Amino acid sequence: MTNSWPPKWLTPVPIEDQERGDGALYANFTEAVCRVTKDSVGSPAGKLLVLRDWQKQLLNHALARRDDGRFRHRTALIGMSRKSGKSALGASIGLAGLTLGGHGSEIYSCAADKEQARIVFGTAKRMIEMDEELSSMFTLYRDAIEFKDKGSVYRVLSAEAYSKEGLNPSPLVIFDEVHAQPSWELWNVLSLAGGAREDSLLLGITTAGVKSQSNGQDSLCYSLYQYGQQIVKEEKKDQSFFFAWWEPEKVEADHRIEELWHQSNPGLGDITDLDEMRSAVLRTPEAEFRTKRLNCFVNTSVAWLPTGAWEALADEDRYPEIGEDVILAFDGAFSNDSTALVAWLLGGSKPHLMVVGLWE
């Protein structure tokens, strides 16, 4: 088993910024009043949440503050596999922001559709209902939680970007499952909406998805993922962007290797059941297992070949024999692309794919 912290990709945050940030404050709030809303491997419903060390480290990094007292980050993307406690963590962050934020705070939960956004928001409402102290503080509505003492509100949003222009979020927008967002429109609107606030953090929490949209362009989530990688690699500088992403050290490795599961699931064996993972890998299509369980981006939702099939056809010394049946496949391009000619050899003890030529 590997350590849960740090994740494979993590933007650097100075220790002094972590220490003066809100991470410890939010963690203390969570463990004092936020309860588990559903029976789970980690805990039965009704028990107070106990944050793991990796979750506390995540809060310390994401909610760091600069020496002028303002949030270090304006945008954050956090990626982890399914069943890693994202909803509970997101809900507790939202409630902490509502309670501990300044007067007139506006907290929002959003996603690709309103029903998805209701998962985190609904978890927050259930936490309030389960705790006597929280119930005495907040007024609950269908789509809102009101904190009258501070004139603050926590709302769930629909997905239409055009209706969000007048929002003024602070200190948080919790954007669930960024991978499912069909375009940049809503993300950009909410990113710009906090411009008048001293503290406004757009916090995306997601699993991976497909790399490209139907129009051939990189998806919103994959583009943000690449941007975070560039910051970690020091190819770009942007301290306002926070990036934490769990995935295997070798993303192309066989998805059935258990070591990869631990690298991608910080709560595996604790929050996530290991036996369930062993069962899921037997009945889940590879592409889906890679995105949802290993948190890896894939080119398509359907794998062309099972893992290892391509490598199994490798044979450096194999050439067509006289009289052997051969299928030629040609992919040509006029300009600004590559051209390939391959041969599928049908004789011998097993089929073999041979690259005849590649041209730029």
Side-chain angles (χ1 to χ4, degrees):
M1 180 183 294
T2 58
N3 292 328
S4 297
W5 188 266
K8 179 180 177 181
W9 300 102
L10 180 67
T11 48
V13 179
I15 187 65
E16 56 269 22
D17 286 9
Q18 297 178 46
E19 291 174 346
R20 58 174 159 250
D22 292 354
L25 189 64
Y26 276 49
N28 291 338
F29 173 90
T30 297
E31 295 188 323
V33 294
C34 295
R35 297 181 182 274
V36 178
T37 60
K38 296 179 181 179
D39 290 335
S40 65
V41 174
S43 174
K47 292 286 187 180
L48 287 170
L49 281 173
V50 177
L51 295 182
R52 279 47 177 177
D53 288 343
W54 65 268
Q55 293 173 315
K56 293 180 179 179
Q57 289 277 15
L58 182 61
L59 291 178
N60 288 340
H61 283 68
L63 302 175
R65 289 189 179 273
R66 306 180 316 210
D67 56 8
D68 62 1
R70 298 183 63 178
F71 274 153
R72 175 182 175 89
H73 310 113
R74 302 289 290 192
T75 306
L77 182 67
I78 297 169
M80 62 183 76
S81 301
R82 288 187 67 232
K83 306 301 181 183
S84 294
K86 295 193 300 297
S87 297
L89 185 62
S92 65
I93 291 173
L95 289 180
L98 180 62
T99 308
L100 306 173
H103 287 268
S105 291
E106 296 179 26
I107 313 293
Y108 297 100
S109 279
C110 64
D113 59 66
K114 197 168 186 175
E115 292 310 307
Q116 178 66 45
R118 283 187 189 280
I119 295 176
V120 172
F121 180 79
T123 301
K125 286 182 67 174
R126 184 65 184 135
M127 286 178 174
I128 293 173
E129 294 169 342
M130 297 176 74
D131 188 84
E132 184 177 350
E133 183 176 356
L134 289 181
S135 295
S136 67
M137 295 169 57
F138 302 119
T139 303
L140 301 182
Y141 303 95
R142 183 176 185 273
D143 292 337
I145 302 169
E146 187 179 18
F147 187 17
K148 292 183 178 179
D149 288 354
K150 287 189 174 182
S152 300
V153 67
Y154 178 9
R155 298 184 188 277
V156 61
L157 298 179
S158 61
E160 295 82 11
Y162 66 86
S163 62
K164 310 301 182 293
E165 295 288 353
L167 300 182
N168 194 15
S170 174
L172 291 164
V173 174
I174 303 165
F175 204 120
D176 194 23
E177 297 299 6
V178 184
H179 75 90
Q181 195 63 27
S183 73
W184 283 83
E185 191 173 7
L186 180 59
W187 180 272
N188 287 341
V189 167
L190 293 172
S191 179
L192 296 172
R197 296 279 199 165
E198 187 174 75
D199 280 329
S200 183
L201 172 61
L202 176 55
L203 179 64
I205 306 178
T206 188
T207 54
V210 296
K211 295 180 179 179
S212 301
Q213 299 170 320
S214 58
N215 60 9
Q217 300 298 312
D218 285 344
S219 67
L220 160 65
C221 192
Y222 187 59
S223 296
L224 293 171
Y225 166 85
Q226 290 177 302
Y227 187 69
Q229 285 183 315
Q230 290 174 320
I231 296 172
V232 175
K233 295 175 182 178
E234 299 183 343
E235 297 172 358
K236 289 188 176 180
K237 292 184 178 180
D238 182 0
Q239 74 170 32
S240 70
F241 188 90
F242 174 71
F243 181 57
W245 196 277
W246 282 266
E247 69 178 13
E249 286 299 317
K250 296 181 179 179
V251 296
E252 300 297 333
D254 190 333
H255 68 291
R256 295 164 293 191
I257 300 174
E258 289 196 12
E259 182 182 354
L260 272 62
W261 305 352
H262 290 283
Q263 295 169 3
S264 310
N265 295 266
L268 187 58
D270 175 19
I271 298 174
T272 310
D273 184 40
L274 180 57
D275 286 340
E276 195 279 331
M277 287 279 285
R278 289 169 175 159
S279 173
V281 75
L282 301 177
R283 52 185 166 78
T284 307
E286 180 183 344
E288 182 177 347
F289 191 90
R290 285 188 177 278
T291 55
K292 304 306 180 188
R293 303 304 185 112
L294 297 185
N295 203 35
C296 297
F297 284 94
V298 297
N299 291 316
T300 175
S301 60
V302 180
W304 178 51
L305 289 173
T307 298
W310 182 270
E311 291 79 2
L313 298 177
D315 187 347
E316 295 292 338
D317 299 324
R318 179 88 158 88
Y319 293 95
E321 299 175 0
I322 296 176
E324 181 176 2
D325 290 331
V326 175
I327 297 175
L328 294 178
F330 179 74
D331 181 10
F334 289 106
S335 63
N336 298 323
D337 206 343
S338 58
T339 294
L341 178 63
V342 298
W344 189 245
L345 313 184
L346 302 180
S349 59
K350 65 178 182 180
H352 176 65
L353 188 64
M354 171 184 174
V355 177
V356 180
L358 295 171
W359 301 271
E360 289 291 337

